[in-house]
Amino acid sequence: MTINQLDVSIILPALLAGLLVLSTHVPLGREVLSRGIIFLDIAIAQLAALGVIVAYRLGLEQQWLMQLLAVACALTGALLLNFSERRYPDLQEAIIGTVFVLAATGGFILLSNNPHGQEHLTDLLSGQILWVSYEQLVPLALISIAVLLLWYCYPRFRHTMVFYILFAIAITSSVQLVGIYLVFSSLIVPALAANRLPNALPWAYMIGVMGYLLGLLISTLFDLPGGPAIVWSLALFGLLINFLVFSLQRSKP
């Protein structure tokens, strides 16, 4: 383990991917947290992954076809969950959990007889962020810009069906690059860590950026999988920031 192991050509595109993911996932995660529908993100991510698996099973290996099926599955789930939130608000968390379990087990069933099924599932869960290319970042950047423009220019959309549509699109665009675990962590961990801090949104972004950077450095130096390393770094950095902020507040006269 030496500093010479740090390959900027690998770390930089991975970090840029993380910044693009965080740009949309942090505000979306704060909205999810405020609504108390924590597992919405992982359910939609799992539905997007199911769309990818369906495309894989059908032999549709073209990237645009995989994305089309992933978006279709995620949007279908998002519209269903938007309906259930309006019709059965007291059951929403249970419905979200059921959708997640069905999507997850559906993926296992579809890949159960495939010799490369376990490898494919691992890629979808933990992601391949260290192998992201600059070309893959272009569509993610365009989608992120569109989602952010709608989110901040039309705040009323946050309380309509558009929220679920934006959520599904943002999740689908990132799940194939960084994996389900990292999508969930990018949405929830920074928002949760900054929830009780003053000026929570900037804090959440900072926690996210530093968590990604630290996780990528640790992953590269210790030859660890990138996604899981970033998940742990996000959580640890969030705890550290909270400890320091509240320690400083208690020390004030």
Side-chain angles (χ1 to χ4, degrees):
M1 180 192 70
T2 65
I3 198 69
N4 293 327
Q5 289 178 255
L6 297 178
D7 190 339
V8 176
S9 66
I10 292 176
I11 292 177
L12 186 55
L15 181 59
L16 290 174
L19 295 178
L20 288 172
V21 169
L22 287 170
S23 69
T24 56
H25 287 35
V26 166
L28 288 171
R30 283 172 49 78
E31 182 68 20
V32 164
L33 198 63
S34 70
R35 292 189 184 197
I37 46 176
I38 308 303
F39 291 102
L40 172 66
D41 46 6
I42 200 168
I44 298 296
Q46 192 68 62
L47 283 167
L50 181 62
V52 174
I53 291 171
V54 170
Y56 179 73
R57 284 288 294 172
L58 293 175
L60 306 175
E61 298 184 1
Q62 297 95 327
Q63 189 64 30
W64 70 271
L65 284 174
M66 284 193 172
Q67 281 294 105
L68 185 62
L69 274 173
V71 169
C73 283
L75 279 176
T76 300
L79 294 176
L80 170 66
L81 293 173
N82 174 252
F83 169 79
S84 65
E85 183 182 43
R86 290 184 284 109
R87 188 72 180 269
Y88 311 106
D90 54 325
L91 300 175
Q92 182 69 348
E93 272 293 270
I95 294 171
I96 289 172
T98 302
V99 169
F100 163 71
V101 169
L102 289 172
T105 52
F108 274 103
I109 290 169
L110 288 173
L111 292 176
S112 59
N113 296 320
N114 190 298
H116 302 292
Q118 188 61 45
E119 179 183 346
H120 196 61
L121 280 173
T122 300
D123 287 346
L124 285 171
L125 289 171
S126 60
Q128 294 289 328
I129 190 170
L130 289 176
W131 307 115
V132 170
S133 66
Y134 289 110
E135 290 76 13
Q136 291 174 291
L137 298 181
V138 175
L140 178 60
L142 295 175
I143 291 171
S144 298
I145 291 169
V147 169
L148 288 170
L149 284 174
L150 290 171
W151 185 260
Y152 287 111
C153 294
Y154 301 95
R156 66 181 183 276
F157 285 166
R158 303 175 195 180
H159 308 290
T160 67
M161 185 189 298
V162 178
F163 165 72
Y164 279 87
I165 295 173
L166 291 177
F167 198 92
I169 292 171
I171 294 296
T172 305
S173 65
S174 58
V175 73
Q176 289 187 66
L177 292 184
V178 302
I180 293 173
Y181 295 151
L182 200 44
V183 164
F184 179 81
S185 299
S186 300
L187 281 156
I188 297 302
V189 175
L192 181 62
N195 191 45
R196 296 186 177 180
L197 298 177
N199 300 313
L201 185 61
W203 278 111
Y205 273 120
M206 190 191 75
I207 290 167
V209 172
M210 295 307 296
Y212 265 85
L213 180 58
L214 179 61
L216 287 170
L217 292 175
I218 290 173
S219 172
T220 305
L221 288 173
F222 293 94
D223 194 24
L224 297 173
I230 296 169
V231 169
W232 275 86
S233 296
L234 285 168
L236 292 174
F237 198 81
L239 285 172
L240 176 62
I241 290 296
N242 272 269
F243 174 77
L244 291 175
V245 169
F246 289 119
S247 295
L248 288 171
Q249 287 178 345
R250 280 196 295 267
S251 67
K252 290 180 180 180

